[in-house]
Amino acid sequence: MREKIDSILEEIKSFHAESLSQAEEFRVHLLSKKGKISVLFDEFRTVPNEMKKEMGQRLNELKIKAQEKLHELKEKLEGSESSLPTDLDLTLPAEPFVPGTRHPLTIIRNEIIDIFSRIGFTVAEGPEIEDDWHNFSALNFPPNHPARDMQDTFFITKEMALRTHTSSVQVRLMESTPPPLRAIMPGRVYRNEAISARAHCFFHQVEGLYVDKNVSFTDLKQAMLYFVREMFGEKTQIRLRPSYFPFTEPSAEMDISCNFCEGKGCNICKYSGWVEILGCGMVDPNVLENCKIDSKQYSGFAFGMGVERITMLRYQVKDLRLFSENDVRFLAQFRSAI
Ligand code: PHE
């Protein structure tokens, strides 16, 4: 009996199971009614009395060892079998990783910033909720003047409104920093306009300001020519038409030669060969004085453009509403290095 117990102990020790069913077979082999251990318990009756105590102890230990081993095997195999589903094919290629793209307006805004940074313009930012002073009064809009209606305003209170242009940031910059100043102001602006393919109640601008001694209209023209040639290509021509803004004098609107038909006439330029892209002018001395800059010593130019407009021209987008609809089929078409 002793030898039999030892050989079964040896068997338990060296047994390995690859699956739960193998472990179950082993249980039947040892512990079922006709299993090896159960048979030994039957034989126990024939053991001489003086050896009963010792053999009884050994038999019980053997049974416990067998149960422990089976418990251990079950735990191990159950864990590994559930974490390894049988339909897992490790040779399959991985799911394709689709990287996101920048929003077209972000791409063009970054390009505008990059172009102006190469001629020394830094970036200035300001709040979207603005007071009357920074959005209107400091910019030479007289109280109750019809010029305030040029830009239909979303008022929050009598004093506060959503900014209608980023010229408000120009005021903040002039108030806080002594000249020379050379900065552009990108940002979102709001106007109470009916939404259509060409206008929205919110859009994006980049305005620019240069204040120093002896800044002239020639500097403005040259800076604008440099910008459009970087943005739309070397052959691009500019045309300035007299215009009116309360904060610049003289003021102009600037057209570029149509980059689609190269001036021949198409439906983008409405067969004129020119498309309007920005407003500009020499900073009105009143504005400089409002910001405590001596207008006898300093002069400056300013300009402002809509990022949507530039983006539409660059990518031939015909409906500005596409920019805010978040349709990935539209957005995924734009790729950029910056
Ligand atoms: N602030 C003007 C606008 O929003 C643009 C502009 C800026 C015009 C600076 C002239 C000079 O329409």
Side-chain angles (χ1 to χ4, degrees):
M1 166 137 304
R2 190 176 287 138
E3 289 85 65
K4 283 186 190 163
I5 293 176
D6 285 345
S7 95
I8 298 174
L9 269 178
E10 209 35 60
E11 208 181 326
I12 294 172
K13 237 193 195 164
S14 58
F15 180 74
H16 294 289
E18 298 291 326
S19 64
L20 282 171
S21 61
Q22 277 179 14
E24 173 61 13
E25 268 170 36
F26 193 58
R27 188 193 66 79
V28 173
H29 171 66
L30 296 178
L31 294 168
S32 68
K33 260 201 177 147
K34 296 214 168 111
K36 272 183 166 179
I37 296 177
S38 311
V39 170
L40 279 187
F41 270 96
D42 289 342
E43 278 175 26
F44 182 66
R45 265 179 278 130
T46 63
V47 171
N49 272 348
E50 68 272 17
M51 302 202 35
K52 268 204 158 85
K53 194 175 172 211
E54 188 200 336
M55 285 306 141
Q57 241 173 20
R58 282 178 176 251
L59 261 179
N60 278 330
E61 276 169 21
L62 176 67
K63 194 173 174 185
I64 291 169
K65 278 259 151 58
Q67 283 167 340
E68 276 175 3
K69 175 82 178 199
L70 282 163
H71 185 72
E72 198 181 283
L73 287 173
K74 250 179 133 177
E75 289 237 304
K76 198 173 101 195
L77 293 165
E78 268 172 0
S80 61
E81 283 193 8
S82 63
S83 66
L84 261 183
T86 47
D87 57 358
L88 187 70
D89 182 353
L90 295 173
T91 65
L92 281 177
E95 290 275 332
F97 175 69
V98 186
T101 53
R102 285 198 202 287
H103 194 282
L105 294 177
T106 308
I107 297 174
I108 294 300
R109 185 205 55 200
N110 288 353
E111 246 181 74
I112 298 171
I113 292 173
D114 190 52
I115 291 170
F116 280 104
S117 75
R118 297 205 288 271
I119 53 170
F121 283 78
T122 55
V123 171
E125 286 180 328
E128 293 184 15
I129 298 173
E130 199 43 287
D131 54 36
D132 179 273
W133 171 256
H134 291 97
N135 198 77
F136 292 120
S137 298
L139 288 161
N140 209 28
F141 286 82
N144 305 319
H145 191 277
R148 288 179 190 241
D149 298 338
M150 275 167 73
Q151 304 172 342
D152 295 313
T153 310
F154 286 118
F155 283 98
I156 295 168
T157 63
K158 216 165 165 276
E159 260 299 298
M160 302 299 285
L162 297 180
R163 69 181 177 195
T164 58
H165 49 188
T166 55
S167 305
S168 53
V169 186
Q170 306 193 3
V171 176
R172 289 183 177 275
L173 184 68
M174 287 188 281
E175 284 176 338
S176 65
T177 319
L181 294 171
R182 207 177 336 175
I184 53 173
M185 299 81 194
R188 183 175 282 190
V189 300
Y190 302 83
R191 290 185 198 175
N192 190 4
E193 282 185 35
I195 296 169
S196 72
R198 312 193 79 217
H200 212 295
C201 57
F202 65 83
F203 59 98
H204 300 81
Q205 283 192 324
V206 176
E207 296 214 352
L209 175 73
Y210 177 30
V211 179
D212 202 347
K213 289 178 178 150
N214 301 319
V215 177
S216 72
F217 202 91
T218 316
D219 299 321
L220 168 62
K221 241 173 106 173
Q222 202 55 40
M224 295 302 102
L225 188 62
Y226 158 78
F227 165 69
V228 300
R229 292 198 165 161
E230 291 292 307
M231 179 56 81
F232 294 104
E234 264 175 52
K235 289 196 199 128
T236 315
Q237 303 291 319
I238 59 170
R239 176 173 90 169
L240 288 148
R241 287 176 289 104
S243 185
Y244 170 77
F245 299 103
F247 34 91
T248 47
E249 182 59 34
S251 304
E253 260 159 323
M254 192 175 88
D255 301 338
I256 58 167
S257 52
C258 181
N259 61 328
F260 295 110
C261 61
E262 291 179 353
K264 289 185 203 82
C266 66
N267 64 354
I268 303 276
C269 61
K270 302 209 195 82
Y271 300 93
S272 69
W274 297 94
V275 283
E276 185 193 319
I277 65 155
L278 56 79
C280 57
M282 301 306 292
V283 182
D284 193 300
N286 287 341
V287 176
L288 294 175
E289 296 294 337
N290 284 340
C291 301
K292 314 240 159 7
I293 293 175
D294 184 354
S295 63
K296 301 217 169 48
Q297 269 202 65
Y298 290 101
S299 55
F301 70 68
F303 56 90
M305 67 187 96
V307 181
E308 276 79 355
R309 180 124 186 88
I310 308 282
T311 309
M312 287 168 90
L313 289 171
R314 267 286 294 270
Y315 293 126
Q316 300 203 27
V317 177
K318 297 229 168 77
D319 191 329
L320 154 159
R321 287 170 291 198
L322 285 165
F323 293 130
S324 47
E325 279 169 358
N326 281 342
D327 185 337
V328 284
R329 290 167 303 180
F330 170 71
L331 297 174
Q333 298 173 59
F334 303 92
R335 309 248 160 210
S336 78
I338 46 175

